[in-house]
Amino acid sequence: MELLENPVRPYAWGSRTVIADLLGESVPSPHPQAEMWLGAHPGDPSRIVHPDGARSSLLEVLTGDPEGLLGAERSARWEGRLPFLLKVLAADEPLSLQAHPSLDQAREGFARENAAGLALDASDRNYRDANHKPELICALTEFHALVGFRDPVETLGLLRALDVPELAPHVELLAAQPGPDGLRALFTTWITLPQAMLDELVPALQKGAVALAARANPSGGDWALEARTALELSERYPGDAGVLAALLLNRVVLAPGEALYLPAGNLHAYLAGAGIELMANSDNVLRGGLTPKHVDVPELLRVLDFTSGPPPVHTGQPEGPWTRYDTPAEEFLLRRWESGDGLTGSLPVPDGGARILLATGGKACVRAGAEVLQLPKGAALFLAAADSGVEVESAAPGTRLYLASDGL
């Protein structure tokens, strides 16, 4: 068992309270704190904290002894790399509209951009590595997101309720093909509009959203949430094609403990809230708007999946005392455990390859043989494959633990 020190990414959309409070730092933080990374991604790996206070990169330690840390079979399967990346995500403002590539698309795109001589940190680079990035987001707080394309018949209801004359030709484009082909045609039209047209359509949409929100059912029906979202995005990103594209997506609100799985090609944007994010070990993002960063429309269209429908919300399933969130991804598996208000006896930590154990509440006592480590709120442990038979117990009320592993 090894204590981890984990990097915090200061993106502008981050919270000044969530991660600072988690780590026991001053609140509010001096700068927005958007993500805490726990893992061995080359872009920002965690560091092992040794008993003497020295630090070592988890990536370097893993590279030096992949079989010892991952186990022989998993080291071969994952080519000596930790297959997952765990994050604490804290959004006070919307993230960019984005999708992630499949494994084949990532490998081809990474090789193509390498051959073109693009530096890994180039601002116009799409592929930072050769891996795909399916991901799971599990809400820590109420979590708001746009996820996947809404059924186009339902979207027509929203567009007609907005009643924006300037959008009428676009509404009819979707009405003529209320399926994947129509979604692709309308999305492509919107995402490639000249800026002069966007500067007319987005303010017109804003007026329509104000009117719809004003006449909507106060209880939240009649597209009230979607209208407010369109209004908020148009105010934050005036003249951005992503404001129009967001109208095509499912508006989702997660309660704490609920989760969403996002496969390759799923267009999404996290809007607000804090969550535990677990993904394949990649940083490949293709953006479609709501951002000042690089947007590559042809590449985004190449990876997008225009299948429509509401995304399934996962509540997890019991696995002994743990709650387990299964996904199709082999690279990762998330488990959650909460002690409630009282203290508990020991519970086993599932074995199997390398794992990361994170405390987001209370305090835990972790035992592996004769070794005992305290895990307060905000702290994390790296467990190697050889760390079997690990047990944990709550040492304070409200202990909450998340365990990340591969999904084999």
Side-chain angles (χ1 to χ4, degrees):
M1 298 192 299
E2 306 282 359
L3 281 170
L4 292 178
E5 184 177 77
N6 305 295
V8 175
R9 312 281 279 193
Y11 305 139
W13 48 262
S15 168
R16 292 177 182 265
T17 59
V18 172
I19 293 178
D21 177 71
L22 178 68
L23 297 177
E25 298 174 347
S26 297
V27 177
S29 59
H31 306 287
Q33 296 176 318
E35 297 176 348
M36 183 168 75
W37 286 23
L38 301 93
H41 190 280
D44 217 348
S46 298
R47 297 194 297 172
I48 290 174
V49 181
H50 300 286
D52 63 0
R55 267 72 168 164
S56 300
S57 163
L58 177 59
L59 176 61
E60 294 177 0
V61 172
L62 184 61
T63 301
D65 185 16
E67 290 193 8
L69 272 65
L70 299 175
E73 290 185 5
R74 281 177 161 88
S75 178
R77 172 66 180 86
W78 304 123
E79 300 178 340
R81 295 187 290 269
L82 190 67
F84 61 83
L85 176 62
L86 178 66
K87 297 181 182 180
V88 178
L89 182 146
D92 272 2
E93 299 178 8
L95 282 67
S96 60
L97 195 65
Q98 60 186 258
H100 309 298
S102 69
L103 185 57
D104 287 343
Q105 290 165 342
R107 287 173 174 171
E108 187 278 329
F110 185 67
R112 172 166 33 93
E113 293 185 345
N114 283 346
L118 279 177
L120 284 178
D121 59 353
S123 61
D124 58 345
R125 177 134 195 167
N126 294 311
Y127 297 95
R128 310 283 175 182
D129 51 65
N131 203 8
H132 62 163
K133 193 188 174 188
E135 63 188 39
L136 180 84
I137 181 73
C138 182
L140 284 171
T141 66
E142 185 175 271
F143 194 88
H144 295 251
L146 297 166
V147 180
F149 288 98
R150 188 190 301 107
D151 184 315
V153 173
E154 294 183 13
T155 293
L156 285 169
L158 169 60
L159 295 176
R160 286 169 175 154
L162 285 165
D163 192 24
V164 179
E166 292 86 346
L167 289 177
H170 305 272
V171 176
E172 294 312 309
L173 176 63
L174 183 60
Q177 289 184 294
D181 290 342
L183 284 172
R184 177 182 286 275
L186 181 54
F187 178 84
T188 303
T189 297
W190 278 349
I191 207 75
T192 57
L193 283 174
Q195 190 60 53
M197 291 190 67
L198 288 171
D199 290 340
E200 294 179 2
L201 287 180
V202 174
L205 167 62
Q206 189 176 54
K207 292 179 181 177
V210 169
L212 178 55
R215 66 177 182 269
N217 187 327
S219 66
D222 303 326
W223 302 110
L225 187 57
E226 288 78 4
R228 290 197 298 269
T229 300
L231 179 58
E232 291 165 1
L233 293 177
S234 66
E235 291 174 340
R236 192 175 300 277
Y237 298 101
D240 193 309
V243 177
L244 298 175
L247 296 172
L248 305 177
L249 304 184
N250 296 289
R251 180 67 165 81
V252 180
V253 182
L254 298 179
E258 293 182 335
L260 291 168
Y261 172 68
L262 286 76
N266 182 291
L267 188 64
H268 60 279
Y270 297 149
L271 300 175
I276 297 295
E277 199 176 19
L278 185 58
M279 63 197 67
N281 195 5
S282 172
D283 196 28
N284 285 327
V285 178
L286 293 160
R287 299 177 180 87
L290 309 182
T291 179
K293 294 183 180 180
H294 175 60
V295 174
D296 186 333
V297 172
E299 193 67 16
L300 176 67
L301 290 171
R302 194 172 75 89
V303 308
L304 277 186
D305 180 358
F306 287 92
T307 302
S308 62
V313 175
H314 300 274
T315 56
Q317 61 182 15
E319 184 187 42
W322 296 86
T323 297
R324 168 184 173 134
Y325 297 88
D326 288 310
T327 75
E330 290 187 334
E331 289 87 350
F332 60 82
L333 173 64
L334 184 68
R335 294 177 173 94
R336 176 176 59 88
W337 177 78
E338 297 187 28
S339 70
D341 294 332
L343 305 184
T344 64
S346 295
L347 71 147
V349 174
D351 292 335
R355 292 143 291 158
I356 292 177
L357 183 66
L358 168 68
T360 61
K363 182 180 181 181
C365 179
V366 187
R367 292 184 173 86
E371 186 178 9
V372 180
L373 289 175
Q374 301 298 315
L375 198 66
K377 175 182 174 181
L381 288 177
F382 178 81
L383 305 175
D387 291 320
S388 61
V390 176
E391 293 189 338
V392 63
E393 63 183 51
S394 173
T399 299
R400 185 189 304 113
L401 303 175
Y402 289 88
L403 180 69
S405 67
D406 66 29
L408 298 181

